[in-house]
Amino acid sequence: MAKGTLRLLEARGADAARWEEALAPMPGADIYFTPAWARLFADLDGDRPLCALWESDRGRVLFPLQVRALDRLPFWSSRWLGAYAGTPAFDATSPYGYSGPLAQVEDPAESHRLIREFMDALGERLRAERVVSLFIRFHPLSGNADCFPAEAIDLSKRSETVFIDLAAPWYKNLTSACRYEIRKSERRGVTVEPASEPGDWEAFGDLYRATMTRRSARSWYIFPQAFLEETRRLLGPAVTLLVARHQGKVVGGSLFLEGFGRGHYHLSGADSGAAGQGVTNRLVAEGARLCESRGARVLHLGGGVREGDGLTRFKASFSPLRARWDKACVVTDPEACETLARGRAEYLGAAGAREEGADSFPAYRRGIEPVPRKRRE
């Protein structure tokens, strides 16, 4: 086993600078691996953003983490967990979006060994700090799931995302129905441009939240205006808001992320009366042009909520290209996870709640809403 050093870097101050320095030369680097991105979503949930950085004679591994305190679970008490609730404990996840461990290694044949050694060291460190489980969302375009231990990959969660190759004549790959919607918005006088008016971000926020409410999205996804403004502040030039206007009114908007040679379609919203004007199709097409003009090689559109749903079909109308998206479930403390699962079951049973929904990881969080916590400053 190669000797190495594992450090857990914070997403602020000197640690954040070291994090960015380590990320810059990494193959597959993207905005989702940055300390700013990790801070954005950890702060939203009141969690701790970290980066696990492993350096050895084989190479280097960088992995953003969001560490969550388990005392926010409603059954965190001695009544349901006994003595286990007497000492703080945690679990971890990769931040919202696409990340996972990134490896930098001179010999590609060593990638699997490097990742295994890193995960062994990380698992030992997490157990020592009472982090009981880890859920990982890999990056579809970075291919970093290919070097990860196969036994941890959850095949039931495997899905696909859609991306546009901006180096090719991508507009020709749009379906005829998609091109029709774009032309329809142009004929009706809809204009699309980067946000420039003082009220554009607020107007977008209102449209975004109305759209997500209309789609019956989980409450977590209905981001408040303060979070959108924090996105703008933390990500800076890496995020652009495109707004669609019709007769002087903002009728739609989309956020696009761009950096490290890639663009990403992020959040979007449109007026319910604007749907027939092809506004969202137009926003994505203009976002592709924007990212292309800034040197991005691809625009990643992501996937849907469920395979084959309306969102998936909408994104598929822009490109036939797909990327595999994997997730991994790592239990670092099996005994603790079993204790938590029993506590959850007893808590729900006492409340008269029925067991609903598909299996999810970790099992002790299934169907449980954490107690709200004030965001980190």
Side-chain angles (χ1 to χ4, degrees):
M1 178 176 177
K3 294 182 179 180
T5 302
L6 178 68
R7 284 181 286 179
L8 296 182
L9 303 177
E10 301 283 347
R12 294 170 173 79
D15 272 5
R18 177 70 184 100
W19 180 339
E20 291 175 341
E21 179 186 1
L23 175 63
M26 285 274 183
D30 205 338
I31 190 170
Y32 294 114
F33 297 92
T34 63
W37 184 264
R39 273 188 62 187
L40 182 63
F41 284 92
D43 287 358
L44 174 69
D45 293 331
D47 298 329
R48 185 184 180 195
L50 293 173
C51 173
L53 181 63
W54 170 257
E55 294 174 299
S56 77
D57 53 4
R58 291 194 201 279
R60 174 186 289 169
V61 180
L62 181 149
F63 182 17
L65 294 169
Q66 184 170 329
V67 179
R68 308 176 294 189
L70 294 180
D71 63 7
R72 291 176 58 199
L73 297 173
F75 57 88
W76 183 266
S77 73
S78 58
R79 178 182 178 186
W80 309 115
L81 300 174
Y84 186 78
T87 305
F90 311 87
D91 62 12
T93 181
S94 52
Y96 173 78
Y98 312 98
S99 57
L102 272 185
Q104 182 184 20
V105 59
E106 289 188 12
D107 181 1
E110 293 289 291
S111 294
H112 286 83
R113 290 182 182 178
L114 176 65
I115 291 293
R116 278 197 174 273
E117 290 169 354
F118 162 69
M119 289 303 299
D120 287 344
L122 180 62
E124 184 177 343
R125 179 69 175 271
L126 294 179
R127 281 189 293 275
E129 299 196 9
R130 284 175 62 90
V131 179
V132 304
S133 70
L134 170 62
F135 180 66
I136 305 171
R137 304 176 187 91
F138 292 95
H139 196 301
L141 300 184
S142 296
N144 52 344
D146 294 338
C147 296
F148 201 78
E151 61 269 19
I153 301 292
D154 189 337
L155 296 180
S156 70
K157 292 182 172 63
R158 176 170 284 177
S159 60
E160 290 184 331
T161 62
V162 180
F163 68 97
I164 299 173
D165 181 1
L166 298 178
W170 57 269
Y171 196 87
K172 294 182 179 179
N173 288 326
L174 273 58
T175 65
S176 58
C178 183
R179 290 196 298 269
Y180 172 77
E181 291 296 318
I182 293 169
R183 290 194 298 267
K184 183 165 62 176
S185 79
E186 293 170 340
R187 288 195 302 269
R188 294 186 177 181
V190 174
T191 61
V192 174
E193 60 186 6
S196 58
E197 299 295 328
D200 283 350
W201 277 81
E202 186 172 352
F204 164 68
D206 290 341
L207 286 170
Y208 168 77
R209 287 183 289 275
T211 299
M212 297 304 284
T213 300
R214 198 164 59 242
R215 293 175 179 170
S216 301
R218 281 179 46 209
S219 59
W220 186 86
Y221 292 98
I222 305 177
F223 301 126
Q225 191 64 33
F227 174 78
L228 298 180
E229 294 296 341
E230 189 74 346
T231 301
R232 183 183 186 185
R233 185 185 73 82
L234 279 177
L235 300 187
V239 62
T240 299
L241 169 61
L242 290 186
V243 292
R245 303 184 200 275
H246 185 245
Q247 298 178 347
K249 178 186 176 184
V250 176
V251 295
S254 296
L255 292 182
F256 290 88
L257 312 175
E258 189 274 320
F260 299 91
R262 292 180 182 145
H264 297 274
Y265 176 51
H266 185 34
L267 306 179
S268 192
D271 187 279
S272 58
Q277 298 175 6
V279 165
T280 308
N281 300 72
R282 180 83 177 284
L283 284 163
V284 174
E286 294 301 330
R289 292 191 177 99
L290 173 76
C291 293
E292 182 181 20
S293 72
R294 294 180 177 177
R297 299 180 297 276
V298 298
L299 173 59
H300 187 226
L301 301 182
V305 178
R306 292 170 296 278
E307 184 177 356
D309 65 8
L311 182 58
T312 302
R313 294 194 299 274
F314 168 75
K315 292 176 178 179
S317 71
F318 288 89
S319 173
L321 301 176
R322 304 288 182 270
R324 194 187 80 218
W325 186 24
D326 276 312
K327 295 89 176 174
C329 305
V330 179
V331 173
T332 54
D333 188 336
E335 185 176 348
C337 287
E338 289 177 7
T339 297
L340 289 162
R342 285 196 302 270
R344 167 194 172 275
E346 292 175 9
Y347 166 80
L348 291 177
R354 294 189 306 170
E355 186 69 69
E356 295 180 354
D359 289 344
S360 60
F361 181 88
Y364 55 80
R365 284 186 177 268
R366 186 168 66 243
I368 295 290
E369 288 294 330
V371 177
R373 174 174 292 171
K374 289 184 179 179
R375 63 181 297 277
R376 293 168 60 96
E377 297 299 333

